[in-house]
Amino acid sequence: MTDSSGEQQLSHDTVVPAADEFADARTGWRGSLGQDDALRQRAVDLQEAADAHHYTYTWEWLGVPIIRLPDDVMVLQELFWSYKPQRVVETGVARGGSMLLDTSLMRLCGETPAVLGIDIKIFQHTHDALAAHPLSEGVELLESDSTVAEAEDRTKAFLGDAERAVLILDSNHTHDHVLAELRLLAPLLPVGGLALVADTLVEEFPAGFYPDRPWDKGDNPLTAVRAFLAENADFALSDWSRRALVTEFRDGIIQRVR
């Protein structure tokens, strides 16, 4: 554990590993974290308890409400920096914060922002928030069901000949709807493209946790991802799926491999 001069690196009498040694150690920590099912269950229990305070709805991105967990925001910036997508398509616009997260991350990565947001209903307050924001340039919105031909055609045209693209699915979380989105939109991604399926954590929550919603354990985004992977050999589960601990995307990030 020495620097380029051959001297040992110390901080408060503690040996500090060199960059390559630290990178190797961190890879190991990430792997062990992703496989620690007992710790993951504690994280799920924490998310379940925090839901009493609507935890996922308490955040903002650059002044606009965003429905994202902090762990997932960190993973997204790592993923964007590593992959540098040229196009991002996201289903589920909500109040617009995730659109701004996508555009700002693209800017930080040196890419021209190009984000298509699709939602069955886009409210005026969302249009207003995006129109007034200095980082909304590059955002396009389509009010449409994300499982119909209109969404497919617009997505195909938007992606064009992009070599790197990301698809984020975060709208209706029933098995049938998410599977329909994956079948319709994921094949439009280029080889290497990533599809991030949100709220796979529904499968880890107790049955009946969402009494006012049509999704539940056994009928949710994770069951849809598993069904899609079983029928489509062009996609595989990505290592990004186990990158975060407190996450909505566990086992829900897949990549087009051919």
Side-chain angles (χ1 to χ4, degrees):
M1 297 183 183
T2 59
D3 62 18
S4 57
S5 67
E7 296 181 355
Q8 192 176 53
Q9 301 177 111
L10 296 174
S11 176
H12 302 287
D13 296 322
T14 300
V15 175
V16 178
D20 57 346
E21 295 170 310
F22 181 65
D24 289 343
R26 190 173 55 184
T27 297
W29 299 331
R30 288 172 173 175
S32 62
L33 178 69
Q35 298 305 316
D36 192 333
D37 291 335
L39 182 58
R40 171 58 183 165
Q41 185 56 56
R42 293 169 67 182
V44 172
D45 292 342
L46 177 63
Q47 288 176 262
E48 181 184 344
D51 191 72
H53 306 282
H54 302 282
Y55 180 68
T56 56
Y57 293 89
T58 62
W59 301 98
E60 296 179 2
W61 183 259
L62 304 179
V64 177
I66 184 172
I67 308 171
R68 282 280 177 270
L69 292 168
D71 274 30
D72 288 331
V73 172
M74 288 298 296
V75 170
L76 281 166
Q77 65 82 21
E78 287 190 9
L79 188 153
F80 273 52
W81 184 257
S82 173
Y83 181 56
K84 293 182 173 52
Q86 299 163 305
R87 299 286 189 276
V88 178
V89 177
E90 184 160 349
T91 69
V93 173
R95 295 180 178 271
S98 59
M99 304 292 102
L100 296 175
L101 174 63
D102 296 338
T103 60
S104 56
L105 289 178
M106 292 184 78
R107 282 185 170 85
L108 288 171
C109 295
E111 298 294 334
T112 301
V115 178
L116 173 62
I118 305 172
D119 206 316
I120 197 166
K121 178 64 177 179
I122 303 176
F123 294 98
Q124 189 59 46
H125 56 69
T126 302
H127 287 288
D128 293 344
L130 291 174
H133 204 281
L135 293 180
S136 64
E137 183 179 355
V139 174
E140 300 179 22
L141 298 178
L142 171 64
E143 188 170 277
S144 169
D145 186 321
S146 53
T147 66
V148 301
E150 180 183 18
E152 179 185 27
D153 293 344
R154 182 71 175 273
T155 298
K156 185 175 182 179
F158 176 77
L159 292 177
D161 58 357
E163 297 179 349
R164 300 180 303 280
V166 166
L167 171 66
I168 303 173
L169 302 181
D170 194 10
S171 57
N172 183 324
H173 300 310
T174 64
H175 173 99
D176 288 346
H177 185 87
V178 176
L179 184 56
E181 286 182 314
L182 285 168
R183 287 171 171 168
L184 189 73
L185 302 179
L188 302 178
L189 291 169
V191 173
L194 291 149
L196 288 69
V197 182
D199 278 336
T200 51
L201 63 86
V202 175
E203 181 66 11
E204 299 183 82
F205 274 10
F209 190 79
Y210 299 98
D212 59 342
R213 300 297 178 93
W215 47 84
D216 202 345
K217 182 182 284 291
D219 179 1
N220 57 67
L222 184 57
T223 60
V225 168
R226 290 170 175 168
F228 180 72
L229 291 177
E231 70 183 29
N232 196 323
D234 291 344
F235 288 82
L237 197 63
S238 166
D239 289 343
W240 290 106
S241 289
R242 293 289 180 103
R243 180 67 189 84
L245 178 61
V246 181
T247 177
E248 295 183 287
F249 292 100
R250 176 142 167 126
D251 293 334
I253 302 179
I254 63 177
Q255 187 167 28
R256 184 166 187 181
V257 295
R258 66 180 190 185

